Coordinates of all heavy atoms in Angstrom, one line a residue:
Y1 N 49.8 150.4 119.6 CA 50.1 151.8 119.1 C 49.4 152.0 117.8 O 48.8 153.1 117.6 CB 51.6 151.9 119.0 CG 52.1 153.2 118.3 CD1 52.1 154.4 118.9 CD2 52.4 153.1 117.0 CE1 52.6 155.5 118.3 CE2 52.9 154.3 116.4 CZ 52.9 155.5 116.9 OH 53.3 156.6 116.3
R2 N 49.5 151.1 116.9 CA 48.9 151.3 115.6 C 47.4 151.5 115.7 O 46.7 152.3 115.0 CB 49.1 150.1 114.7 CG 50.6 150.0 114.2 CD 50.7 149.1 113.0 NE 52.1 148.8 112.6 CZ 52.8 149.6 111.9 NH1 52.5 150.8 111.6 NH2 54.1 149.2 111.6
A3 N 46.8 150.7 116.6 CA 45.3 150.8 116.8 C 44.9 152.2 117.3 O 43.9 152.8 116.9 CB 44.8 149.7 117.8
D4 N 45.7 152.7 118.3 CA 45.5 154.0 118.9 C 45.6 155.1 117.8 O 44.8 156.0 117.7 CB 46.4 154.2 120.0 CG 46.2 155.6 120.7 OD1 45.1 155.7 121.3 OD2 47.0 156.5 120.5
V5 N 46.6 155.0 117.0 CA 46.9 156.0 115.9 C 45.7 155.9 114.9 O 45.2 157.0 114.5 CB 48.2 155.7 115.2 CG1 48.4 156.6 114.0 CG2 49.3 156.0 116.2
A6 N 45.3 154.7 114.5 CA 44.3 154.6 113.5 C 42.9 155.1 114.0 O 42.2 155.7 113.3 CB 44.1 153.1 113.1
S7 N 42.6 154.9 115.3 CA 41.4 155.5 115.9 C 41.4 156.9 115.9 O 40.2 157.5 115.9 CB 41.2 154.9 117.3 OG 42.1 155.6 118.2
S8 N 42.5 157.6 115.7 CA 42.5 159.0 115.6 C 42.6 159.6 114.2 O 42.6 160.8 114.1 CB 43.7 159.6 116.5 OG 43.6 159.2 117.8
G9 N 42.6 158.7 113.2 CA 42.5 159.2 111.9 C 43.9 159.8 111.4 O 43.9 160.6 110.5
I10 N 45.0 159.4 112.0 CA 46.3 159.9 111.7 C 46.9 159.1 110.6 O 46.9 157.9 110.6 CB 47.2 159.9 112.9 CG1 46.6 160.9 114.1 CG2 48.6 160.4 112.5 CD1 47.3 160.7 115.4
E11 N 47.5 159.8 109.6 CA 48.2 159.1 108.6 C 49.7 158.9 109.0 O 50.5 159.8 108.9 CB 48.2 159.9 107.3 CG 48.9 159.2 106.1 CD 49.1 160.0 104.9 OE1 48.4 161.1 104.8 OE2 49.9 159.6 103.9
L12 N 50.0 157.7 109.5 CA 51.3 157.4 110.1 C 52.1 156.9 108.9 O 51.9 156.0 108.3 CB 51.2 156.5 111.2 CG 52.6 156.0 111.9 CD1 53.1 157.2 112.7 CD2 52.4 154.7 112.7
I13 N 53.3 157.6 108.7 CA 54.2 157.1 107.6 C 55.4 156.5 108.1 O 56.2 155.9 107.4 CB 54.5 158.3 106.6 CG1 55.3 159.3 107.4 CG2 53.4 158.8 105.9 CD1 56.0 160.4 106.5
G14 N 55.7 156.5 109.5 CA 56.9 155.9 110.0 C 57.0 156.1 111.5 O 56.4 157.1 112.0
L15 N 57.8 155.4 112.1 CA 58.1 155.5 113.6 C 59.4 155.0 113.9 O 59.9 154.0 113.2 CB 57.0 154.8 114.4 CG 57.0 153.3 114.4 CD1 56.4 152.8 115.7 CD2 56.1 152.7 113.3
C16 N 60.0 155.5 115.0 CA 61.2 155.0 115.5 C 60.9 154.2 116.8 O 60.3 154.9 117.7 CB 62.3 156.0 115.8 SG 63.8 155.4 116.5
G17 N 61.1 152.9 116.9 CA 60.7 152.1 118.1 C 61.8 151.8 119.0 O 63.0 151.5 118.6
L18 N 61.6 151.9 120.3 CA 62.5 151.7 121.4 C 62.0 150.5 122.2 O 60.8 150.4 122.6 CB 62.6 152.9 122.3 CG 62.6 154.3 121.6 CD1 62.5 155.4 122.6 CD2 63.8 154.5 120.7
W19 N 62.9 149.5 122.5 CA 62.4 148.4 123.2 C 62.4 148.5 124.7 O 61.8 147.8 125.5 CB 63.2 147.1 122.8 CG 64.7 147.1 123.3 CD1 65.8 147.4 122.5 CD2 65.2 146.7 124.5 NE1 66.9 147.2 123.2 CE2 66.6 146.7 124.5 CE3 64.6 146.2 125.8 CZ2 67.4 146.4 125.6 CZ3 65.4 145.9 126.8 CH2 66.8 146.0 126.7
F20 N 63.2 149.5 125.2 CA 63.3 149.6 126.7 C 62.6 150.8 127.2 O 62.4 151.8 126.5 CB 64.7 149.4 127.2 CG 65.6 150.7 127.0 CD1 65.8 151.6 128.1 CD2 66.1 151.0 125.8 CE1 66.7 152.7 127.9 CE2 67.0 152.1 125.6 CZ 67.2 153.0 126.6
G21 N 62.1 150.7 128.4 CA 61.4 151.8 129.1 C 60.3 151.1 129.9 O 60.0 149.9 129.8
G22 N 59.8 151.9 130.9 CA 58.7 151.3 131.8 C 59.3 150.2 132.6 O 60.4 150.3 133.2
P23 N 58.7 148.9 132.6 CA 59.2 147.8 133.3 C 60.4 147.2 132.8 O 61.0 146.4 133.5 CB 58.0 146.9 133.3 CG 57.3 147.1 132.0 CD 57.4 148.6 131.8
H24 N 60.8 147.5 131.5 CA 62.0 146.9 130.9 C 63.1 147.9 130.9 O 63.0 149.0 130.2 CB 61.6 146.5 129.5 CG 60.5 145.5 129.3 ND1 60.7 144.2 129.6 CD2 59.2 145.7 129.0 CE1 59.5 143.5 129.5 NE2 58.6 144.4 129.2
Q25 N 64.1 147.7 131.6 CA 65.2 148.6 131.7 C 66.4 148.0 131.0 O 66.5 146.8 130.8 CB 65.5 149.0 133.1 CG 64.4 149.8 133.8 CD 64.0 151.0 133.0 OE1 64.8 151.7 132.5 NE2 62.7 151.3 132.9
A26 N 67.5 148.8 130.8 CA 68.8 148.4 130.1 C 69.9 148.9 130.9 O 70.5 149.8 130.7 CB 68.8 149.0 128.7
L27 N 70.2 148.1 132.0 CA 71.2 148.5 133.0 C 72.5 147.8 132.7 O 72.7 146.9 131.9 CB 70.7 148.0 134.4 CG 69.3 148.6 134.8 CD1 68.9 148.0 136.2 CD2 69.4 150.1 134.9
A28 N 73.5 148.4 133.4 CA 74.9 147.9 133.3 C 75.0 146.4 133.9 O 74.2 146.1 134.8 CB 75.9 148.8 134.0
G29 N 75.9 145.6 133.3 CA 76.1 144.3 133.8 C 75.1 143.3 133.4 O 75.1 142.1 133.8
E30 N 74.3 143.6 132.4 CA 73.3 142.7 131.8 C 73.4 142.7 130.3 O 72.4 142.8 129.6 CB 71.9 143.1 132.3 CG 71.7 143.1 133.8 CD 70.4 143.6 134.3 OE1 69.5 144.0 133.4 OE2 70.1 143.4 135.4
P31 N 74.6 142.4 129.7 CA 74.7 142.5 128.3 C 73.9 141.5 127.5 O 73.4 141.8 126.4 CB 76.3 142.3 128.0 CG 76.6 141.5 129.2 CD 75.8 142.1 130.4
A32 N 73.7 140.3 128.1 CA 72.8 139.3 127.4 C 71.4 139.8 127.2 O 70.8 139.6 126.2 CB 72.9 138.0 128.1
Q33 N 70.9 140.4 128.3 CA 69.6 141.0 128.2 C 69.5 142.1 127.2 O 68.5 142.2 126.4 CB 69.1 141.6 129.6 CG 67.7 142.2 129.6 CD 67.4 142.8 130.9 OE1 67.9 142.4 132.0 NE2 66.5 143.8 131.0
L34 N 70.4 142.9 127.1 CA 70.5 144.0 126.1 C 70.5 143.4 124.7 O 69.8 143.9 123.8 CB 71.6 145.0 126.4 CG 71.4 146.2 127.3 CD1 70.9 145.7 128.7 CD2 72.6 147.0 127.4
R35 N 71.3 142.5 124.5 CA 71.4 141.8 123.3 C 70.0 141.2 122.8 O 69.6 141.3 121.6 CB 72.4 140.7 123.3 CG 72.7 140.0 121.9 CD 73.7 138.9 122.1 NE 73.9 138.2 120.8 CZ 75.0 138.3 120.1 NH1 76.0 139.1 120.4 NH2 75.2 137.7 118.9
T36 N 69.4 140.5 123.7 CA 68.1 140.0 123.5 C 67.1 141.1 123.1 O 66.3 140.9 122.1 CB 67.5 139.2 124.7 OG1 68.5 138.1 124.9 CG2 66.2 138.7 124.4
G37 N 67.1 142.2 123.8 CA 66.2 143.3 123.5 C 66.5 143.8 122.1 O 65.6 144.2 121.3
N38 N 67.7 144.0 121.8 CA 68.2 144.6 120.5 C 67.7 143.7 119.4 O 67.2 144.1 118.3 CB 69.6 144.8 120.4 CG 70.1 145.9 121.4 OD1 69.3 146.7 121.8 ND2 71.4 145.9 121.7

């Protein structure tokens, strides 16, 4: 992400990052997986 932003000349001062999405989901009944992701 940082490489992509830098290549566009954007001055990034901060971001909010999310660990789940795409192939990584956060479903019910998997609290250990959610804890690991967090």
Side-chain angles (χ1 to χ4, degrees):
Y1 170 78
R2 290 196 189 282
D4 183 70
V5 170
S7 71
S8 299
I10 299 167
E11 182 189 349
L12 184 72
I13 62 168
L15 68 152
C16 181
L18 322 170
W19 69 262
F20 75 103
H24 301 281
Q25 296 303 321
L27 301 175
E30 301 177 351
Q33 178 184 333
L34 271 60
R35 183 184 178 107
T36 298
N38 293 339

